[in-house]
Amino acid sequence: MVVDEAGSARAWAWVEHLRAGGTTPWVAFTGSVPGTLSSGPLPGAAQLEVARRLNHTAGAPSDQQRRLVERVLEQGGPGRGQPDLALVGVDSDAAFGAPPVDPAQVPAPELLRIAVGLLADLLARNPAPAPTPAPRRVRARPWHRDYRLAGDPLLVEVARQSLLRAGHVPGLRAPVSVVLADDLCAMLSDVWSWRILQGGTVRWTRWLADWERRDTLPPRLLLDRIAARQAADTGPSQVHVAINAPASAVASLVGAPERSVDDPVRLSPDAVELVRQTSLVLRVLVAKEQRPRILGTDLVPLLADEQGPPRAVLARHDDWVRRQAAGMRDRIGDAGYPVCGDLDALIPPEPVPGTRPTNGGVLDVALRTLLNFKERAL
Amino acid sequence: MSPKRVLLHVGTPKTGTSYLQDVLFRNRDRLAGQGVLYPADRFDDHFLAALDLMRLPWGGLETEAVGAWDRLAERVRDWSGTAIISHEILATASRAQIKRALASLGHPDTEIHVVLSTRDLVRQVPAEWQENVKHRRTIRYRRFLQQIQNPERVDRIATWFWGVQEIPDILDRWGAALDPSRVHVVTVPKPGAPHNLLWERFAHTFGLDGLDLDLHAERSNPSLGVPETALIRRINKVANAELRPAAYRPLVRELLAHQTLSRRTDSPRLGMPPEARQWADDLSHAWVDELRRRGYDVVGDLDDLLPDPHPVEFRDPDRARPRAVNAAALDAIKALLLEGARLQQSEEELRAELRETQIALERSYMRPTYRMREKAVRSAQEKGWGRRLLSVYRRARGRSSREA
């Protein structure tokens, strides 16, 4: 093998530069390591570029940052993707293997693969400390109303958790059911995101296409049937359908003080996609029963600042979604349940709201999440 | 030579690996009695270990692979004699994964040998396309050839192909930390060679010469002809969106491809189109020159890796003869009908068992006290106050249960 010693010395100097928190791109780097060359192969170009971008995002160097960079440089990418790419301008022996590259030109999906692999590895090997003893269970007040929440799983979870935090557990008075809803595009995004946060890995496009092929909605979104089931239990007059309703209105419906229910916040599509891709790697790292805990307890809290609109429904599903939403609106209207909000709001507005994730966007979230993790466990 | 050594067979696909692994698996007890460990409790243990090592998703199978590499490595470390690990997808492991693998097997204190079985590129290229098709891909052959010939190698298909087929690069990665004398290149003989020659080369490499082994194969990865591969590709196109990987594997890959269509051995075989031959020839010569220079232990002849100068006539699988594809499709329909009938029979038997179980269960519910309680609950559920009472009762019962 013909080795370009000057190029190799420059490359090892760049590795040291990155270990020390440096952010200079490879093509602009002019340093060199005097003396003998380091033994062993250089880290791959994708790993080096991820390390550089982490330093860039992190700002000031630190011991934790150095440890994180070290982990990146040792990381093999999970799944299918490019092999360890050589740095352009180092080895002249390029007769075999993938062509050398400028790390800045490595495609975002490859950088993302390295970042996601490391994130999954760190999550699997550094479980969050055991939670502090659970707060004492709030006792039911018999004079409070019993309440049931159903519908959009994101809205239900936010409402349920905030009511419990406010000490408003279901009481013993006659029950009321609240079916929480939004426009159907947002609800589809919420159900899919919910599934991803529970450890699912199905792609949004495939998931949506499957439901359209079956010409039905996911069970959690068959709101007229859910309402009918609740009505059988509580009576139709006690089933309220709350569409895009303010949190205070939801609180009033269940007989709680107005501020007992928080406004819902959604993870951005980029963040949900990061969770999905991390889950794909976790499938081979940890047992199935551990995955929801790792995602819920360890990963999602690191994404607290990654909020955004729902995932956009693709235009090719538009007609089907509108038809489903119109059918749902008509059936709920015919059943005569009290409605909080406007039944027409079940039908998505024009143009359809929401955004799509991008590789660059997911990579940025992954880098920020790795830095957040570093603060906690490295 | 130390008494303990590890033989790590890392590829390449389509070089008789399934046959070798089948023989090793079925003879594992006999081998253990003769000091050779093939650490596997199920046939695909080494495949799962490779998925784990490389964090590789594989249509859901990866969930069965959690911790598989470490378990495999532990068994190897605990063995005092020769141990063999074999799976062809290990060829695509990255340097970091290889470093982890070798360290987990005891490197550098343990004597580790890497074995790579190899076959000429003109046979490997169409075989890899066929493997892609048998793994749900719908890419046409010409497009596949374009992708793997692109020097940038950016597509997933090209990345995988070169990862498992570029012999000098695979050996660069796997052999970097080993003495060349511990890197063994086994060549697949040219067409027309004696049937057992490849096995003899494997047996020599793995130190199995003279051992009493049952060489009858139960598993293999048989090849398909041109119309059969074209048929599977078309099935993928129409069925992929609705057929889950867990159903695809037994029905398409196993039942149709391996058990049915591979028996149509009179069909024309896949080959390389004339315009790609020169590219494959040049590359093969460059590889052989490089391997000679590196001084690895070669079992067989590096000339086996040079394409046959008198290739058979090329038949384009992208334009397979409709009559031949139809004939293959009839065989496929017949196989699916027979499988459907078998499953129907099995379902009827299960239904009968279920009916018997239900009757037995109903008998146990015939006691008068159970029927009285059931009637009371049904009556309460029809009234508002009754539903609330039940709700209170159920909550009280829930609390009592938890406290108990």
Side-chain angles (χ1 to χ4, degrees), chain A residues 1 41-42 47 74-84 93 95-99 101 107 117 121 125 137 139-140 146-148 170-175 202-203 206 210 213-214 231-235 280-288 291, chain B residues 48 51-52 54-67 92 94-97 99-100 136-137 151-156 159-160 166 168-169 172-173 240-245 283 286-287 290 293-294 381 387-388 391-392 395 399 402:
Chain A
M1 182 185 288
L42 280 163
Q47 284 86 341
E74 292 169 356
Q75 184 72 21
R80 291 168 180 78
Q82 301 253 355
D84 302 322
D93 179 18
F96 308 104
V101 293
D121 234 25
R125 298 187 198 298
R137 194 160 176 263
R139 294 188 73 84
D146 185 7
Y147 63 82
R148 290 102 197 255
L172 296 179
R173 279 176 53 209
V202 64
R203 285 174 187 272
R206 170 145 198 164
D210 277 353
R213 193 177 304 108
R214 291 183 231 171
D233 208 18
T234 61
L280 275 169
V281 185
L282 285 173
R283 282 163 70 91
V284 74
L285 288 182
V286 297
K288 184 180 178 183
R291 289 203 299 269
Chain B
L48 295 176
L51 294 186
D52 178 29
M54 298 188 286
R55 318 279 199 247
L56 200 55
W58 204 280
L61 283 177
E62 69 277 9
T63 58
E64 297 174 39
V66 178
T92 193
S94 69
R95 290 184 190 277
Q97 290 155 353
K99 187 176 169 190
R100 179 191 158 205
R136 301 172 71 101
R137 297 264 190 198
E152 294 301 314
R153 302 182 180 184
V154 286
D155 302 290
R156 276 190 157 199
T159 303
W160 179 265
E166 193 171 28
D169 186 53
D172 235 11
R173 280 180 278 124
N240 266 356
E242 295 171 62
L243 195 62
R244 302 273 169 196
L283 203 52
W287 287 5
E290 177 69 14
R293 197 182 61 73
R294 290 190 190 177
Q381 273 172 339
R387 285 194 294 270
R388 284 203 287 283
S391 169
V392 172
R395 261 197 247 166
R399 274 203 294 275
R402 277 194 291 278

Side-chain angles (χ1 to χ4, degrees), chain B residues 116 183 246:
Chain B
L116 189 72
V183 177

